[in-house]
Amino acid sequence: MNDRLKVGWGLDDGNAVGARRFGAHVGAVLIVHLAFATVLARAQRYEGSFGTMTLPPSATKLCELIREKGPDWT
């Protein structure tokens, strides 16, 4: 996570001078990061083949239970 914030979001490039400005920059990046995570979590996923991978019996049973309960199962 730290590497993603520093390198991916540019928090280590030194553009924010001062503690208040750096804190605001980090806060803004975290809000955008959370927004992207929320959008991606709600996005439709491809329900295709996983190739040659096989799931263990416990994962197979969980998938069956989730399909039975529907997408809004909590």
Side-chain angles (χ1 to χ4, degrees):
M1 178 71 177
N2 286 338
D3 184 53
R4 184 177 296 159
L5 290 175
K6 290 173 71 177
V7 176
W9 291 94
L11 292 179
D12 67 344
D13 60 4
N15 286 338
V17 178
R20 294 177 85 190
R21 185 170 287 194
F22 182 75
H25 190 174
V26 170
V29 165
L30 288 176
I31 289 171
V32 170
H33 194 77
L34 179 63
F36 278 128
T38 304
V39 167
L40 289 174
R42 291 182 178 177
Q44 285 284 52
R45 288 173 179 71
Y46 173 69
E47 293 291 336
S49 171
F50 289 115
T52 59
M53 184 178 86
T54 58
L55 295 174
S58 58
T60 306
K61 183 64 177 174
L62 283 173
C63 289
E64 290 172 5
L65 288 172
I66 290 171
R67 282 192 203 106
E68 288 174 6
K69 299 293 183 179
D72 57 0
W73 177 51
T74 54

Coordinates of all heavy atoms in Angstrom, one line a residue:
M1 N 0.8 -1.2 0.0 CA 0.0 0.0 0.0 C 0.9 1.3 0.0 O 0.6 2.2 -0.7 CB -0.9 0.0 1.2 CG -1.8 1.2 1.4 SD -3.1 1.2 0.1 CE -4.0 2.6 0.6
N2 N 1.9 1.3 0.8 CA 2.8 2.5 0.9 C 3.4 2.7 -0.5 O 3.5 3.8 -0.9 CB 3.8 2.3 2.0 CG 3.2 2.5 3.3 OD1 2.2 3.1 3.5 ND2 3.9 2.0 4.3
D3 N 3.9 1.6 -1.1 CA 4.6 1.8 -2.4 C 3.6 2.3 -3.4 O 3.9 3.1 -4.3 CB 5.1 0.4 -2.8 CG 5.9 0.5 -4.1 OD1 6.8 1.4 -4.2 OD2 5.6 -0.2 -5.1
R4 N 2.3 1.8 -3.4 CA 1.3 2.3 -4.3 C 1.1 3.8 -4.1 O 0.9 4.5 -5.1 CB 0.0 1.5 -4.2 CG -1.0 1.9 -5.2 CD -2.2 1.1 -5.1 NE -1.9 -0.3 -5.4 CZ -2.7 -1.4 -5.0 NH1 -3.7 -1.2 -4.3 NH2 -2.3 -2.6 -5.3
L5 N 1.0 4.2 -2.9 CA 0.8 5.6 -2.7 C 2.0 6.5 -3.1 O 1.8 7.5 -3.7 CB 0.5 5.9 -1.2 CG -0.9 5.3 -0.7 CD1 -1.0 5.5 0.8 CD2 -2.0 6.0 -1.4
K6 N 3.2 6.0 -2.7 CA 4.4 6.8 -3.0 C 4.7 6.8 -4.5 O 4.9 7.9 -5.1 CB 5.5 6.3 -2.2 CG 5.4 6.5 -0.7 CD 6.5 5.8 0.1 CE 7.8 6.5 -0.2 NZ 8.9 5.9 0.7
V7 N 4.8 5.7 -5.1 CA 5.2 5.6 -6.5 C 4.0 5.8 -7.5 O 4.1 6.6 -8.4 CB 5.9 4.3 -6.8 CG1 6.3 4.2 -8.3 CG2 7.1 4.2 -5.9
G8 N 3.0 5.0 -7.2 CA 1.8 5.1 -8.2 C 1.1 6.4 -8.1 O 0.6 6.9 -9.2
W9 N 0.9 7.0 -7.0 CA 0.1 8.2 -6.9 C 1.0 9.5 -6.7 O 0.5 10.6 -6.6 CB -0.8 8.1 -5.7 CG -1.9 7.2 -5.9 CD1 -2.0 5.9 -5.6 CD2 -3.2 7.4 -6.6 NE1 -3.1 5.3 -6.0 CE2 -3.9 6.2 -6.6 CE3 -3.7 8.5 -7.2 CZ2 -5.2 6.1 -7.2 CZ3 -5.0 8.4 -7.8 CH2 -5.7 7.2 -7.8
G10 N 2.3 9.3 -6.7 CA 3.3 10.4 -6.7 C 3.4 11.1 -5.4 O 3.7 12.3 -5.4
L11 N 3.3 10.5 -4.3 CA 3.5 11.1 -3.0 C 4.9 11.3 -2.6 O 5.2 12.0 -1.7 CB 2.7 10.4 -1.9 CG 1.2 10.4 -2.0 CD1 0.6 9.6 -0.9 CD2 0.7 11.8 -2.0
D12 N 5.8 10.7 -3.3 CA 7.2 10.8 -3.0 C 8.0 11.8 -3.9 O 9.2 11.9 -3.8 CB 7.9 9.5 -2.9 CG 8.0 8.8 -4.3 OD1 7.3 9.3 -5.2 OD2 8.8 7.9 -4.4
D13 N 7.3 12.5 -4.8 CA 8.0 13.3 -5.7 C 8.4 14.7 -5.2 O 9.1 15.5 -5.8 CB 7.2 13.5 -7.0 CG 5.9 14.1 -6.8 OD1 5.6 14.5 -5.6 OD2 5.1 14.2 -7.8
G14 N 8.0 15.0 -3.9 CA 8.4 16.3 -3.3 C 7.7 17.5 -3.7 O 8.1 18.6 -3.5
N15 N 6.6 17.4 -4.4 CA 5.8 18.6 -4.9 C 5.1 19.2 -3.8 O 4.8 20.4 -3.8 CB 4.9 18.2 -6.0 CG 5.6 18.0 -7.3 OD1 6.7 18.5 -7.5 ND2 5.0 17.2 -8.2
A16 N 4.7 18.5 -2.7 CA 4.0 19.0 -1.6 C 4.9 19.4 -0.5 O 5.6 18.6 0.1 CB 2.9 18.0 -1.1
V17 N 5.1 20.7 -0.3 CA 6.0 21.2 0.7 C 5.3 21.6 1.9 O 4.3 22.4 1.8 CB 6.8 22.4 0.1 CG1 7.8 23.0 1.2 CG2 7.6 22.0 -1.1
G18 N 5.7 21.1 3.1 CA 5.0 21.5 4.3 C 4.1 20.3 4.8 O 3.5 19.6 4.0
A19 N 4.0 20.2 6.1 CA 3.2 19.1 6.7 C 1.7 19.3 6.3 O 1.0 18.2 6.0 CB 3.3 19.1 8.2
R20 N 1.1 20.4 6.3 CA -0.3 20.6 6.1 C -0.6 20.3 4.6 O -1.6 19.6 4.3 CB -0.8 22.0 6.4 CG -0.7 22.3 7.9 CD -1.1 23.7 8.2 NE -2.5 23.8 8.3 CZ -3.2 24.9 8.4 NH1 -2.6 26.1 8.3 NH2 -4.5 24.8 8.5
R21 N 0.2 20.8 3.7 CA 0.0 20.5 2.3 C 0.2 19.1 2.0 O -0.6 18.5 1.2 CB 1.0 21.4 1.5 CG 0.7 21.3 0.0 CD 1.5 22.3 -0.8 NE 0.9 23.6 -0.5 CZ 1.1 24.7 -1.2 NH1 2.0 24.6 -2.2 NH2 0.5 25.8 -0.9
F22 N 1.2 18.4 2.6 CA 1.5 17.0 2.3 C 0.3 16.2 2.9 O -0.2 15.3 2.2 CB 2.8 16.6 3.0 CG 3.1 15.1 2.7 CD1 3.5 14.7 1.5 CD2 2.9 14.2 3.7 CE1 3.8 13.3 1.3 CE2 3.2 12.8 3.5 CZ 3.6 12.4 2.3
G23 N -0.2 16.5 4.1 CA -1.4 15.9 4.6 C -2.6 16.0 3.7 O -3.4 15.0 3.6
A24 N -2.8 17.2 3.2 CA -3.9 17.4 2.3 C -3.8 16.5 1.0 O -4.7 16.0 0.5 CB -4.1 18.9 1.9
H25 N -2.5 16.5 0.5 CA -2.3 15.7 -0.7 C -2.5 14.2 -0.4 O -3.2 13.5 -1.2 CB -0.8 15.9 -1.1 CG -0.4 15.3 -2.4 ND1 0.8 15.5 -3.0 CD2 -1.1 14.5 -3.3 CE1 0.8 14.9 -4.2 NE2 -0.3 14.3 -4.4
V26 N -2.1 13.7 0.7 CA -2.3 12.3 1.1 C -3.8 12.0 1.2 O -4.3 11.0 0.8 CB -1.5 11.9 2.4 CG1 -2.0 10.6 2.9 CG2 0.0 11.9 2.1
G27 N -4.5 13.0 1.9 CA -6.0 12.8 2.1 C -6.7 12.8 0.7 O -7.6 11.9 0.5
A28 N -6.3 13.6 -0.2 CA -7.0 13.6 -1.5 C -6.7 12.4 -2.3 O -7.6 11.8 -2.9 CB -6.5 14.8 -2.3
V29 N -5.5 11.9 -2.2 CA -5.1 10.6 -2.9 C -5.9 9.5 -2.3 O -6.4 8.6 -3.0 CB -3.6 10.4 -2.8 CG1 -3.2 9.0 -3.2 CG2 -2.9 11.4 -3.7
L30 N -6.0 9.4 -1.0 CA -6.8 8.3 -0.3 C -8.2 8.3 -0.7 O -8.8 7.3 -0.9 CB -6.6 8.4 1.2 CG -5.2 8.0 1.7 CD1 -5.1 8.1 3.2 CD2 -4.9 6.5 1.3
I31 N -8.8 9.5 -0.8 CA -10.2 9.6 -1.2 C -10.4 9.1 -2.6 O -11.3 8.4 -2.9 CB -10.7 11.1 -1.0 CG1 -10.8 11.4 0.4 CG2 -12.0 11.3 -1.8 CD1 -11.1 12.9 0.7
V32 N -9.5 9.5 -3.5 CA -9.6 9.1 -4.9 C -9.3 7.6 -5.0 O -10.0 6.9 -5.7 CB -8.6 9.8 -5.8 CG1 -8.4 9.2 -7.2 CG2 -8.9 11.3 -5.9
H33 N -8.4 7.1 -4.2 CA -8.1 5.6 -4.2 C -9.3 4.9 -3.7 O -9.7 3.8 -4.3 CB -6.9 5.4 -3.2 CG -6.3 4.1 -3.3 ND1 -5.5 3.7 -4.3 CD2 -6.4 3.0 -2.5 CE1 -5.1 2.5 -4.1 NE2 -5.6 2.0 -3.0
L34 N -10.0 5.3 -2.7 CA -11.2 4.7 -2.2 C -12.3 4.8 -3.2 O -13.1 3.8 -3.4 CB -11.7 5.4 -0.9 CG -12.9 4.9 -0.2 CD1 -12.8 3.4 0.2 CD2 -13.3 5.7 1.0
A35 N -12.5 5.9 -3.9 CA -13.5 6.0 -5.0 C -13.3 5.0 -6.1 O -14.2 4.3 -6.5 CB -13.5 7.4 -5.5
F36 N -12.0 4.8 -6.5 CA -11.7 3.8 -7.5 C -12.0 2.4 -7.1 O -12.5 1.6 -7.8 CB -10.3 3.9 -8.0 CG -10.0 5.0 -9.0 CD1 -9.0 6.0 -8.9 CD2 -10.8 5.1 -10.2 CE1 -8.8 6.9 -9.8 CE2 -10.6 6.1 -11.1 CZ -9.6 7.0 -10.9
A37 N -11.6 2.1 -5.8 CA -11.9 0.8 -5.3 C -13.3 0.5 -5.2 O -13.8 -0.6 -5.5 CB -11.2 0.7 -3.9
T38 N -14.1 1.5 -4.8 CA -15.6 1.3 -4.7 C -16.2 1.1 -6.1 O -17.0 0.2 -6.3 CB -16.2 2.5 -4.1 OG1 -15.6 2.8 -2.8 CG2 -17.7 2.4 -3.9
V39 N -15.8 1.8 -7.1 CA -16.3 1.7 -8.4 C -15.9 0.3 -9.0 O -16.7 -0.4 -9.6 CB -15.8 2.8 -9.4 CG1 -16.0 2.4 -10.8 CG2 -16.4 4.1 -9.0
L40 N -14.7 -0.1 -8.8 CA -14.2 -1.4 -9.3 C -14.9 -2.6 -8.5 O -15.2 -3.6 -9.1 CB -12.7 -1.6 -9.1 CG -11.9 -0.7 -10.1 CD1 -10.4 -0.8 -9.8 CD2 -12.2 -1.1 -11.5
A41 N -15.2 -2.4 -7.2 CA -15.9 -3.5 -6.5 C -17.3 -3.6 -7.0 O -17.9 -4.8 -6.9 CB -15.8 -3.1 -5.0
R42 N -17.9 -2.6 -7.4 CA -19.3 -2.7 -7.9 C -19.5 -3.0 -9.4 O -20.6 -3.3 -9.8 CB -20.0 -1.3 -7.7 CG -20.2 -1.0 -6.2 CD -21.0 0.3 -6.0 NE -21.2 0.5 -4.6 CZ -21.8 1.6 -4.1 NH1 -22.2 2.5 -4.9 NH2 -21.9 1.7 -2.8
A43 N -18.4 -3.0 -10.1 CA -18.4 -3.3 -11.5 C -18.8 -4.8 -11.8 O -18.4 -5.7 -11.0 CB -17.1 -3.0 -12.2
Q44 N -19.4 -5.0 -12.9 CA -19.7 -6.3 -13.4 C -18.4 -7.1 -13.7 O -17.5 -6.5 -14.2 CB -20.6 -6.3 -14.6 CG -22.0 -5.9 -14.3 CD -22.8 -7.1 -13.7 OE1 -22.4 -7.6 -12.7 NE2 -24.0 -7.4 -14.2
R45 N -18.4 -8.3 -13.4 CA -17.2 -9.1 -13.7 C -17.5 -10.1 -14.8 O -18.7 -10.6 -15.0 CB -16.8 -9.8 -12.4 CG -16.2 -8.9 -11.5 CD -15.9 -9.5 -10.2 NE -15.2 -8.7 -9.2 CZ -15.8 -7.7 -8.6 NH1 -17.1 -7.4 -8.8 NH2 -15.2 -6.9 -7.7
Y46 N -16.5 -10.5 -15.5 CA -16.6 -11.5 -16.5 C -16.8 -12.9 -15.9 O -16.0 -13.3 -15.0 CB -15.3 -11.5 -17.4 CG -15.3 -12.6 -18.4 CD1 -16.1 -12.6 -19.5 CD2 -14.4 -13.7 -18.2 CE1 -16.1 -13.7 -20.4 CE2 -14.3 -14.7 -19.1 CZ -15.2 -14.7 -20.2 OH -15.1 -15.7 -21.1
E47 N -17.9 -13.5 -16.2 CA -18.2 -14.8 -15.6 C -17.8 -15.9 -16.6 O -18.6 -16.7 -17.0 CB -19.7 -14.9 -15.3 CG -20.1 -14.0 -14.2 CD -19.6 -14.4 -12.8 OE1 -19.3 -15.5 -12.6 OE2 -19.5 -13.5 -12.0
G48 N -16.5 -16.0 -16.9 CA -16.1 -17.0 -17.9 C -15.2 -18.0 -17.2 O -15.2 -18.2 -16.0
S49 N -14.5 -18.7 -18.0 CA -13.6 -19.7 -17.6 C -12.3 -19.2 -16.9 O -11.8 -18.1 -17.3 CB -13.2 -20.6 -18.7 OG -12.2 -21.5 -18.4
F50 N -11.8 -19.9 -15.9 CA -10.6 -19.5 -15.3 C -9.4 -20.3 -15.9 O -8.4 -20.5 -15.3 CB -10.6 -19.8 -13.8 CG -11.5 -18.8 -13.1 CD1 -12.6 -19.3 -12.4 CD2 -11.2 -17.5 -13.0 CE1 -13.4 -18.4 -11.7 CE2 -12.0 -16.6 -12.3 CZ -13.1 -17.1 -11.7
G51 N -9.6 -20.8 -17.1 CA -8.6 -21.7 -17.7 C -8.6 -23.1 -17.2 O -9.7 -23.7 -17.0
T52 N -7.4 -23.6 -16.9 CA -7.3 -24.9 -16.4 C -7.3 -25.0 -14.9 O -7.1 -26.1 -14.3 CB -6.0 -25.6 -16.9 OG1 -4.9 -24.8 -16.5 CG2 -6.0 -25.6 -18.5
M53 N -7.5 -23.9 -14.2 CA -7.5 -23.9 -12.8 C -8.7 -24.6 -12.2 O -9.8 -24.5 -12.7 CB -7.5 -22.5 -12.3 CG -7.4 -22.3 -10.8 SD -7.4 -20.6 -10.3 CE -9.1 -20.3 -10.2
T54 N -8.5 -25.4 -11.2 CA -9.6 -26.1 -10.5 C -9.7 -25.6 -9.1 O -8.7 -25.3 -8.4 CB -9.4 -27.6 -10.5 OG1 -8.2 -27.9 -9.8 CG2 -9.4 -28.2 -11.9
L55 N -11.0 -25.4 -8.7 CA -11.2 -24.9 -7.3 C -11.3 -26.0 -6.3 O -11.8 -27.1 -6.7 CB -12.5 -24.1 -7.3 CG -12.5 -22.8 -8.1 CD1 -13.9 -22.2 -8.1 CD2 -11.5 -21.8 -7.6
P56 N -10.9 -25.8 -5.1 CA -11.1 -26.9 -4.1 C -12.6 -27.0 -3.8 O -13.4 -26.1 -4.1 CB -10.3 -26.4 -2.9 CG -10.1 -24.9 -3.1 CD -10.2 -24.7 -4.6
P57 N -12.9 -28.1 -3.2 CA -14.4 -28.4 -2.9 C -15.0 -27.3 -2.0 O -16.2 -26.9 -2.2 CB -14.4 -29.7 -2.1 CG -13.1 -30.4 -2.6 CD -12.1 -29.3 -2.8
S58 N -14.2 -26.7 -1.1 CA -14.8 -25.7 -0.2 C -15.2 -24.4 -1.1 O -16.2 -23.8 -0.9 CB -13.8 -25.3 0.9 OG -12.6 -24.9 0.3
A59 N -14.3 -24.0 -2.0 CA -14.6 -22.9 -2.8 C -15.7 -23.2 -3.8 O -16.5 -22.3 -4.1 CB -13.3 -22.5 -3.6
T60 N -15.8 -24.4 -4.3 CA -16.9 -24.8 -5.2 C -18.2 -24.6 -4.4 O -19.2 -24.1 -5.0 CB -16.7 -26.2 -5.7 OG1 -15.4 -26.3 -6.3 CG2 -17.8 -26.5 -6.7
K61 N -18.3 -25.1 -3.2 CA -19.5 -25.0 -2.4 C -19.9 -23.6 -2.1 O -21.0 -23.2 -2.2 CB -19.3 -25.8 -1.1 CG -20.5 -25.9 -0.2 CD -21.7 -26.6 -0.9 CE -22.9 -26.8 0.0 NZ -24.0 -27.4 -0.7
L62 N -18.9 -22.7 -1.8 CA -19.2 -21.3 -1.6 C -19.7 -20.7 -2.8 O -20.7 -19.9 -2.7 CB -17.9 -20.6 -1.1 CG -17.5 -20.8 0.3 CD1 -16.1 -20.2 0.6 CD2 -18.5 -20.2 1.3
C63 N -19.2 -21.0 -4.0 CA -19.7 -20.4 -5.2 C -21.1 -20.8 -5.5 O -22.0 -20.0 -5.9 CB -18.8 -20.9 -6.4 SG -17.2 -20.1 -6.5
E64 N -21.5 -22.1 -5.2 CA -22.8 -22.6 -5.3 C -23.8 -21.8 -4.4 O -24.9 -21.4 -4.7 CB -22.9 -24.1 -5.1 CG -22.3 -24.9 -6.1 CD -22.2 -26.4 -5.7 OE1 -22.7 -26.8 -4.7 OE2 -21.6 -27.1 -6.5
L65 N -23.4 -21.7 -3.1 CA -24.2 -20.9 -2.1 C -24.4 -19.5 -2.6 O -25.5 -19.0 -2.4 CB -23.5 -21.0 -0.8 CG -23.6 -22.3 0.0 CD1 -22.7 -22.3 1.2 CD2 -25.0 -22.7 0.3
I66 N -23.4 -18.8 -3.1 CA -23.5 -17.5 -3.5 C -24.5 -17.4 -4.7 O -25.3 -16.5 -4.8 CB -22.2 -16.9 -3.9 CG1 -21.4 -16.7 -2.6 CG2 -22.3 -15.6 -4.6 CD1 -19.9 -16.3 -2.8
R67 N -24.4 -18.3 -5.6 CA -25.3 -18.3 -6.8 C -26.8 -18.5 -6.3 O -27.7 -17.9 -6.9 CB -24.9 -19.4 -7.8 CG -23.8 -19.0 -8.6 CD -23.6 -19.9 -9.8 NE -22.2 -19.8 -10.2 CZ -21.2 -20.7 -10.0 NH1 -21.5 -21.9 -9.4 NH2 -20.0 -20.6 -10.4
E68 N -27.0 -19.4 -5.3 CA -28.3 -19.6 -4.8 C -28.9 -18.4 -4.2 O -30.1 -18.1 -4.3 CB -28.3 -20.8 -3.8 CG -28.1 -22.1 -4.4 CD -27.9 -23.2 -3.4 OE1 -28.1 -22.9 -2.2 OE2 -27.6 -24.3 -3.7
K69 N -28.1 -17.7 -3.4 CA -28.6 -16.5 -2.6 C -28.8 -15.3 -3.4 O -29.6 -14.4 -3.1 CB -27.7 -16.2 -1.4 CG -27.5 -17.4 -0.5 CD -28.8 -17.6 0.3 CE -28.6 -18.7 1.3 NZ -29.8 -19.0 2.1
G70 N -28.1 -15.2 -4.5 CA -28.2 -14.0 -5.4 C -27.2 -13.0 -5.1 O -26.4 -13.1 -4.1
P71 N -27.1 -11.9 -5.9 CA -26.0 -10.9 -5.8 C -26.1 -10.0 -4.5 O -25.1 -9.5 -4.1 CB -26.1 -10.1 -7.0 CG -27.6 -10.2 -7.4 CD -28.0 -11.6 -7.0
D72 N -27.3 -9.9 -3.9 CA -27.4 -9.0 -2.8 C -27.4 -9.7 -1.5 O -28.0 -9.3 -0.5 CB -28.7 -8.1 -2.9 CG -30.0 -8.9 -3.1 OD1 -29.9 -10.2 -3.1 OD2 -31.0 -8.3 -3.2
W73 N -26.9 -10.9 -1.4 CA -26.8 -11.7 -0.3 C -25.8 -11.1 0.7 O -24.7 -10.9 0.4 CB -26.4 -13.2 -0.6 CG -26.2 -14.1 0.5 CD1 -27.1 -14.3 1.5 CD2 -25.1 -14.9 0.8 NE1 -26.6 -15.2 2.4 CE2 -25.4 -15.6 2.0 CE3 -23.9 -15.2 0.2 CZ2 -24.5 -16.5 2.5 CZ3 -23.1 -16.1 0.7 CH2 -23.4 -16.8 1.9
T74 N -26.2 -10.9 1.9 CA -25.3 -10.3 2.9 C -25.2 -11.2 4.1 O -26.1 -12.0 4.4 CB -25.7 -8.9 3.4 OG1 -27.0 -9.0 3.8 CG2 -25.5 -8.0 2.2

